[in-house]
Amino acid sequence: MYSERMSTAYLILCGLIGGYLVQAIAYRLWRAYWTPLRHIPGPWHAKVTGFALKWNDVTGTRWYYVQELHKKYGTIVRIAPHEIAISDPKVVRKVHAFGTEFRKHQQPGTAFNIFSLSDPKIHRTRQRFYTQAFSQESLKANNESAVRELTETAIAGARKDAIDSKCRKADMFKWCMLFGYDAAWQLVYGNTNGLMANNKGTDEVIMGWYLQRLIAWMLFCFPVFLLGRWLAPLSPTLRDVFRVEWRYKDIFEAGPRQREIAAKTVFVQNSKYEKDGDVYGVSDDVRLSDVDIAHDITTFLGAGGEAVGATLVFLIWQVVQIPELQSQLEAEVATLNEPLTDAATAQLPLLNGVILEALRLYGGGATHLPRYASTTTELGGYIIPPEIAVTVHAGALHRNPAAWEDPET
């Protein structure tokens, strides 16, 4: 009797597993070949599995992978069963236009913050809390001299490293990244974090790139995520990825850490909104707690610091490869009198052209920013079912030959 019951239970379990597998395969085949998405060009495997995309997310090569797909298949590409990538300017404008039907979703593994808000009205209302400090007038009045001092610190530090080095070289990646985070800290707190002054390493900063890879590990497969976390102490690469979770865990949990982060910011210190108990009443519908502000601030520091630093690295790298351009740029800047000001540098056409080209080709904001429509819609001649992720690949968008002459240089 016991063996018969075990056999019956085993058959039932096998039946359930088999039924689930059949249903999963049937759904994937339906999504691949019997929905409007089947008309969107892309690699054959993207119709049935997102493994290739997830693998490139985990290894940190998504940018290059999607860039090659755009080169091969065009400006609208299916990169996974439920995701398409776009790089056509008109299509991008439709997805991100004011009042668009495409909305953000909070991504798995990320803290809820101002960048996660899908309701445009609530997002605009929440922005009011930070608007005054981020206005052009306020930024220049409160930060211009401080940013100039940070620039001088970065140059002096890199020069000293080059002099002290046997090979007469300086690690410009380090100095650019530290500058970016010190500048972001200055904007948020009204003072620097002292990363450059204390000659810290890049392991002292919140690396958004590593955070993105940590999220990719979470999304890849939970057992694989646990395996990666277990192996992290043995691998320098994995250690850099998973240290984000270990080091900044307390930032994302409610407690004294949030109150400390929020209280010191220029937003709280100069706020026109009164605190009612534990929250600031921005409107009847939007109330910000210390936890909300801490989550927003952490994102400002990570997204702002890394984007500035990475773009500066690529700008310098690009300029030094063209000696003639470097000489012309140095000559143009040499026409200015000390101290340099934002108003004065704004009048230099070559300098501003170089900055804009660096932002176009190597802008630090490489996140794919998925958007979702709640109803069936049309993009670039293709029908997009609801809740399909539509992501913008900035690399392909900024290198679109229809929009740019000689787009790769």
Side-chain angles (χ1 to χ4, degrees), residues 63-64 67 306-319 321-322 354-366 394-396 398-399 407-409:
W63 192 96
Y64 303 98
Q67 176 76 355
E306 185 174 29
V308 169
T311 302
L312 279 176
V313 171
F314 280 113
L315 187 153
I316 294 171
W317 169 72
Q318 192 76 353
V319 168
Q321 293 186 88
I322 312 174
V354 168
I355 293 173
L356 291 175
E357 272 296 274
L359 288 170
R360 179 179 74 86
L361 290 170
Y362 305 106
H398 293 166
R399 291 169 173 79
E408 294 289 343
T409 60

Side-chain angles (χ1 to χ4, degrees), residues 268-390:
V268 169
Q269 293 179 2
N270 302 322
S271 177
K272 63 181 180 181
Y273 301 101
E274 294 185 0
K275 194 171 187 180
D276 181 11
D278 293 330
V279 298
Y280 292 89
V282 182
S283 72
D284 292 338
D285 300 323
V286 178
R287 302 171 71 79
L288 293 181
S289 67
D290 291 329
V291 174
D292 295 326
I293 296 171
H295 288 173
D296 290 348
I297 296 311
T298 306
T299 307
F300 293 160
L301 292 173
E306 185 174 29
V308 169
T311 302
L312 279 176
V313 171
F314 280 113
L315 187 153
I316 294 171
W317 169 72
Q318 192 76 353
V319 168
V320 297
Q321 293 186 88
I322 312 174
E324 182 180 357
L325 173 62
Q326 182 178 351
S327 298
Q328 293 173 351
L329 191 58
E330 291 172 349
E332 183 182 65
V333 174
T335 63
L336 299 181
N337 297 320
E338 294 284 352
L340 300 182
T341 65
D342 180 71
T345 56
Q347 304 305 313
L348 302 182
L350 184 59
L351 173 64
N352 286 279
V354 168
I355 293 173
L356 291 175
E357 272 296 274
L359 288 170
R360 179 179 74 86
L361 290 170
Y362 305 106
T367 305
H368 45 282
L369 303 173
R371 296 293 188 270
Y372 307 81
S374 59
T375 59
T376 299
T377 188
E378 182 271 336
L379 284 179
Y382 297 104
I383 302 301
I384 310 299
E387 300 305 320
I388 295 298
V390 179

Side-chain angles (χ1 to χ4, degrees), residues 109-112 205-207 211 214 218 225 229 240-259 261 291 294-295 298:
T110 62
F112 184 79
V205 301
I206 304 173
M207 296 291 281
L211 178 59
L214 176 65
M218 293 179 182
F225 169 73
R229 179 192 279 176
D240 285 337
V241 172
F242 283 88
R243 75 179 176 87
V244 175
E245 180 187 21
W246 304 326
R247 183 168 184 176
Y248 303 108
K249 182 179 180 181
D250 63 327
I251 292 178
F252 301 108
E253 295 179 349
R257 183 77 165 119
Q258 277 71 33
R259 289 190 290 275
I261 292 173
V291 174
H295 288 173
T298 306

Side-chain angles (χ1 to χ4, degrees), residues 10-217:
Y10 177 74
L11 291 174
I12 292 174
L13 178 61
C14 289
L16 291 173
I17 294 175
Y20 171 79
L21 292 175
V22 169
Q23 186 270 339
I25 294 172
Y27 175 76
R28 288 181 178 269
L29 291 175
W30 172 79
R31 176 69 76 180
Y33 300 105
W34 281 277
T35 72
L37 292 175
R38 70 183 185 277
H39 300 298
I40 299 177
W44 65 268
H45 52 79
K47 295 182 177 181
V48 293
T49 177
F51 178 84
L53 183 65
K54 288 185 176 181
W55 177 254
N56 281 277
D57 276 331
V58 166
T59 57
T61 55
R62 177 192 177 103
W63 192 96
Y64 303 98
Y65 173 68
V66 179
Q67 176 76 355
E68 290 303 314
L69 292 183
H70 274 298
K71 288 181 178 179
K72 183 175 182 179
Y73 295 104
T75 58
I76 301 180
V77 185
R78 189 176 187 180
I79 58 177
H82 301 85
E83 185 170 349
I84 65 172
I86 60 176
S87 62
D88 182 281
K90 293 182 179 179
V91 176
V92 172
R93 191 178 300 116
K94 180 177 181 180
V95 171
H96 289 275
F98 182 79
T100 179
E101 59 190 306
F102 288 87
R103 302 291 178 84
K104 294 180 286 186
H105 285 184
Q106 184 177 0
Q107 298 303 298
T110 62
F112 184 79
N113 55 54
I114 192 170
F115 295 102
S116 307
L117 291 172
S118 60
D119 188 312
K121 182 179 179 181
I122 296 178
H123 184 274
R124 288 193 299 271
T125 304
R126 186 158 172 165
Q127 279 182 315
R128 296 178 194 166
F129 191 78
Y130 308 104
T131 299
Q132 181 179 350
F134 281 143
S135 69
Q136 285 291 328
E137 181 180 355
S138 177
L139 288 173
K140 292 179 181 179
N142 299 326
N143 301 289
E144 184 169 0
S145 61
V147 172
R148 184 164 54 243
E149 291 177 7
L150 289 174
T151 304
E152 294 170 354
T153 301
I155 294 172
R159 181 183 290 117
K160 184 178 184 302
D161 279 1
I163 293 173
D164 295 343
S165 170
K166 292 182 179 180
C167 59
R168 311 292 287 180
K169 295 180 180 179
D171 183 355
M172 292 309 299
F173 172 79
K174 181 190 82 169
W175 287 104
C176 287
M177 296 305 296
L178 295 183
F179 169 83
Y181 279 94
D182 270 348
W185 199 275
Q186 168 66 36
L187 298 183
V188 170
Y189 289 103
N191 55 70
T192 71
N193 196 24
L195 294 175
M196 291 190 296
N198 296 303
N199 201 10
K200 297 291 187 178
T202 53
D203 59 336
E204 295 291 327
V205 301
I206 304 173
M207 296 291 281
W209 183 66
Y210 289 131
L211 178 59
Q212 291 296 322
R213 290 186 64 184
L214 176 65
I215 295 171
W217 276 87

Side-chain angles (χ1 to χ4, degrees), residues 221-237:
C221 176
F222 189 66
V224 174
F225 169 73
L226 295 178
L227 177 63
R229 179 192 279 176
W230 181 68
L231 294 174
L234 307 177
S235 166
T237 301

